[in-house]
Amino acid sequence: MPPPLRRRLTVAACLAWAVAGCSPGATLVSAGEAPAVTPENTSTPGLYLQRLHATYLRPGDCLLELPRDLIATLVSCEMPHAAEYAFIYVLPEGPWPGEAAAMRRAVDWCGPRLRVKASRRQEVRAGALLPLEREWPAQRTAYCLAVPRGGELVGRVLK
């Protein structure tokens, strides 16, 4: 996608969120309240965004960016995006393994199970959204993703 179009889509996304934040009934949620988030839809002509906690993800959902707090912004997969959600993996019980070890375990488990379209295999690798350390060990769910090897994805990559 040419940079001017990407820039316009980014500006449109920012404007949509700014308008949604000023709308009656809009709720700002801190990362500490993340599990209580319910799906919110924002719609503008030619643009669809949905912001929700990772527990609401469905296979095939496309994430605008990779969140650090498990609150994902979903976009149409036809727009440039950072990842496509596949499924969950529950990390083994025990003490918090650290972010690097948790990511390694999740990617090692998720990678061989990703069902990537044959024509798109060279474009993606396995990635994951990890549980938050402060919620460990009660929450050990990692969210398996197909992420680009470089740049952004456009269109669906998973079967």
Side-chain angles (χ1 to χ4, degrees), residues 54-55 70 85 87-91 129-132 136-144:
T55 56
L70 298 179
Y85 171 69
F87 40 76
I88 64 168
Y89 166 62
V90 179
L91 290 155
L129 296 180
L130 297 175
L132 301 174
W136 189 272
Q139 301 297 323
R140 299 186 336 269
T141 304
Y143 301 86
C144 299

Side-chain angles (χ1 to χ4, degrees), residues 34-157:
V37 174
T38 58
E40 297 176 28
N41 294 326
T42 301
S43 190
T44 58
L47 179 67
Y48 175 77
L49 298 172
Q50 187 176 31
R51 191 159 161 76
L52 45 80
H53 189 273
T55 56
Y56 289 100
L57 292 174
R58 295 177 309 206
D61 282 344
C62 292
L63 286 67
L64 180 63
E65 58 192 13
L66 297 177
R68 303 265 321 148
D69 61 359
L70 298 179
I71 304 298
T73 301
L74 304 185
V75 294
S76 164
C77 292
E78 301 313 309
M79 291 181 58
H81 55 278
E84 187 172 335
Y85 171 69
F87 40 76
I88 64 168
Y89 166 62
V90 179
L91 290 155
E93 289 186 28
W96 171 245
E99 188 171 342
M103 181 61 78
R104 191 171 40 256
R105 285 180 187 166
V107 168
D108 287 349
W109 191 89
C110 298
R113 291 164 178 82
L114 282 180
R115 297 187 59 211
V116 180
K117 293 178 181 178
S119 62
R120 309 284 309 259
R121 284 192 185 126
Q122 299 305 315
E123 296 177 47
V124 297
R125 61 182 173 77
L129 296 180
L130 297 175
L132 301 174
E133 179 180 4
R134 69 176 178 268
E135 296 177 346
W136 189 272
Q139 301 297 323
R140 299 186 336 269
T141 304
Y143 301 86
C144 299
L145 307 169
V147 297
R149 291 185 187 274
E152 299 173 305
L153 298 173
V154 177
R156 294 198 180 278
V157 295

